[in-house]
Amino acid sequence: YSFVPFSPVAMLDPTILTLGGIVLGIAIIERILERWGVIDLVDQFEKVMRFILPVTFYGALFYFFATFMF
């Protein structure tokens, strides 16, 4: 018996899944553009993603712990 109930289903929060899906979609688009040879646009995506990925990760982590009931 655990005094701190924890379920892995709690990580299936729609907000976190949406943010993860958006970031994953942008990464897939970046790889497709790289395969097509549009390197200038890929460089722009890389500059934006270098900022968005950490902000999204820490924001989702903060949101998860702020809404998770211990």
Side-chain angles (χ1 to χ4, degrees), residues 23 26 47-57:
V23 170
I26 291 173
K47 288 177 186 175
V48 171
M49 290 297 285
R50 197 174 291 162
F51 174 74
I52 288 179
L53 281 176
V55 169
T56 304
F57 172 74

Side-chain angles (χ1 to χ4, degrees), residues 6-68:
F6 178 74
S7 173
V9 179
M11 292 187 186
L12 296 177
D13 186 39
T15 304
I16 293 176
L17 288 177
T18 302
L19 290 174
I22 290 171
V23 170
L24 184 63
I26 291 173
I28 290 172
I29 289 171
E30 182 181 350
R31 294 296 167 212
I32 290 171
L33 289 174
E34 183 180 1
R35 189 167 292 191
W36 286 349
V38 189
I39 302 301
D40 295 336
L41 195 55
V42 171
D43 288 339
Q44 295 299 321
F45 266 110
E46 184 181 352
K47 288 177 186 175
V48 171
M49 290 297 285
R50 197 174 291 162
F51 174 74
I52 288 179
L53 281 176
V55 169
T56 304
F57 172 74
Y58 289 118
L61 191 66
F62 176 76
Y63 174 79
F64 176 73
F65 284 118
T67 59
F68 183 66

